[in-house]
Amino acid sequence: MKITELFAKKKPTISFEVFPPNELYSLDEVFSVIDELAKLKPDFISVTYGAGGSTRSRTVEIASKIKNQNHIEALAHLTCLGATEKEIDSIVEELERNNIENILALRGDYPKDGSPVKVGNFSHSCDLIKYLKNRDFALGGAFYPEGHQDTNDLLDLFNLKIKVDSGVDFLISQIFFDNEQFYEFREKLKKLKITTPLIAGIMPVTNAKQIRKITSLCGCTIPEKLRKILDRYENNPKALKEAGIAYATEQIIDLMTSDIDGIHIYTMNKVEMAKKIMESITNIRADFEGEYNEINRAVK
Ligand code: FAD
């Protein structure tokens, strides 16, 4: 099923992001992460592409498992920077052969060490979105409530309008820790008559060093309340995990209560964390879905 069809049936959707094997997780481990996440009955699971040191070739294989073995909708991330049309065609055809109906169309990051990018056919995500538009996929794109690091906020908003006009069907946000920033951004989109469904990307903080690195790379604000948590529990991983999950859960509940189209949890392949969050919102989710018994059984 296309994610666009999901939106017609329920709101908010709850989904997870996983990444393919890397130096920390073998393929078997990623598969078992997915099996556990599937028990929590997300509306879809997305798989990153080449991010965080993972190999690109595994994205289709993992998305295929999610869709064809776990019978959960899969969203395959796909980046286009440095890719040729032929390379994109080959991945997209593989996705089609595996019945994957959803693609998150992204540009990708320039190498952090400044090394040159292979010359390809795409400069921005909107080029990929336009290129894929004649295929039968629901297409998602990324958005940045606090702006994208390469551009100023106003220009990024203008470029987001181009992305939307290129035919994107839904948007998933960069991580953010201050819901007010998200709501302010949503208001700006409304003024621009952008009505594309917005999915809020939430990352529970479980590692202070990692979150400081991520936020400095993507330029997202750490509010005072979260900063205090990081400072206080930095050297106590168990306490930090508890506080980080509670913080993310609070963000999610506020978003769900504020008319959000979807919540996407960046699980970092950590099942326990996703499980705890889902347990904490069982009744809230059921309130939206009327599926209390089924979900309750799943999180037990
Ligand atoms: P774009 O939409 O192309 O935007 C990039 C920059 O170019 C912005 O500053 C924008 O303002 C500007 N721009 C956009 N269009 C135009 C235009 N027409 N003319 C001029 N300027 C323009 N990375 C991975 O490698 N793998 C992943 O799996 C992955 N998953 C992600 C999932 C989400 C939800 C998010 C938010 C990010 C993800 N990323 C991933 C990171 C992403 O690749 C980077 O943030 C990248 O820097 C930008 O990608 P984009 O698709 O937003 O690019």
Side-chain angles (χ1 to χ4, degrees):
M1 188 193 295
K2 294 198 175 69
I3 287 171
T4 37
E5 292 167 50
L6 265 177
F7 283 126
K9 287 187 178 172
K10 59 158 66 173
K11 190 179 134 178
T13 54
I14 306 271
S15 51
F16 298 134
E17 178 189 282
V18 297
F19 52 75
N22 60 13
E23 63 282 0
L24 295 177
Y25 291 89
S26 68
L27 184 62
D28 280 350
E29 281 167 325
V30 174
F31 279 0
S32 82
V33 162
I34 290 165
D35 289 339
E36 289 304 308
L37 291 177
K39 292 181 191 162
L40 304 174
K41 302 214 178 294
D43 295 302
F44 65 89
I45 299 179
S46 84
V47 191
T48 64
Y49 183 80
S54 59
T55 52
R56 296 180 164 194
S57 57
R58 296 290 196 192
T59 300
V60 179
E61 185 179 358
I62 293 167
S64 175
K65 170 184 162 51
I66 294 167
K67 168 85 186 189
N68 301 307
Q69 291 176 29
N70 298 94
H71 305 292
I72 289 181
E73 281 319 310
L75 169 63
H77 296 208
L78 179 60
T79 64
C80 62
L81 196 65
T84 60
E85 289 184 354
K86 202 170 157 209
E87 285 163 340
I88 294 292
D89 286 345
S90 118
I91 294 165
V92 165
E93 280 154 21
E94 221 188 312
L95 288 170
E96 285 170 340
R97 278 195 296 278
N98 284 276
N99 309 315
I100 313 295
E101 296 177 80
N102 305 288
I103 294 179
L104 187 66
L106 301 150
R107 183 196 70 180
D109 279 319
Y110 283 96
K112 302 274 179 279
D113 61 3
S115 56
V117 175
K118 183 166 78 75
V119 177
N121 298 116
F122 306 89
S123 303
H124 301 288
S125 64
C126 58
D127 303 325
L128 179 62
I129 291 159
K130 280 185 225 150
Y131 187 69
L132 296 178
K133 209 52 202 169
N134 61 345
R135 304 243 188 191
D136 191 19
F137 289 99
L139 297 175
F143 77 104
Y144 304 83
E146 297 181 62
H148 183 263
Q149 68 268 21
D150 293 0
T151 333
N152 70 48
D153 294 0
L154 195 61
L155 201 53
D156 194 44
L157 201 56
F158 174 78
N159 292 331
L160 182 59
K161 177 84 174 100
I162 298 179
K163 191 182 297 200
V164 168
D165 292 343
S166 303
V168 86
D169 297 304
F170 59 92
L171 292 163
I172 306 187
S173 86
Q174 173 70 282
I175 58 167
F176 60 93
F177 299 105
D178 180 355
N179 286 5
E180 292 313 315
Q181 301 242 20
F182 183 93
Y183 299 139
E184 274 171 34
F185 191 79
R186 185 165 66 171
E187 283 311 306
K188 286 184 195 160
L189 298 191
K190 268 189 201 153
K191 284 187 186 139
L192 287 171
K193 308 253 178 295
I194 294 177
T195 55
T196 312
L198 299 181
I199 302 179
I202 298 295
M203 182 183 280
V205 172
T206 55
N207 179 324
K209 229 184 238 159
Q210 181 192 45
I211 218 69
R212 287 206 176 95
K213 187 173 166 211
I214 293 174
T215 51
S216 78
L217 286 175
C218 73
C220 90
T221 317
I222 301 182
E224 188 52 25
K225 190 172 163 184
L226 181 59
R227 192 178 304 283
K228 283 200 283 191
I229 291 175
L230 296 179
D231 290 346
R232 179 69 181 84
Y233 306 116
E234 177 149 23
N235 298 314
N236 183 340
K238 285 185 182 162
L240 180 65
K241 201 163 136 192
E242 247 171 44
I245 290 172
Y247 188 95
T249 306
E250 203 178 307
Q251 263 193 292
I252 290 170
I253 293 171
D254 180 57
L255 286 158
M256 290 178 85
T257 316
S258 305
D259 205 27
I260 191 72
D261 296 299
I263 304 280
H264 196 55
I265 302 173
Y266 294 109
T267 69
M268 308 292 282
N269 291 4
K270 294 191 170 80
V271 172
E272 213 37 50
M273 182 180 82
K275 214 169 170 179
K276 287 223 160 83
I277 293 177
M278 295 301 270
E279 274 168 5
S280 304
I281 60 167
T282 307
N283 292 292
I284 296 168
R285 202 179 170 199
D287 188 69
F288 285 97
E289 293 186 10
E291 288 177 6
Y292 176 79
N293 290 332
E294 208 186 334
I295 297 166
N296 212 14
R297 265 201 306 279
V299 295
K300 270 183 184 156

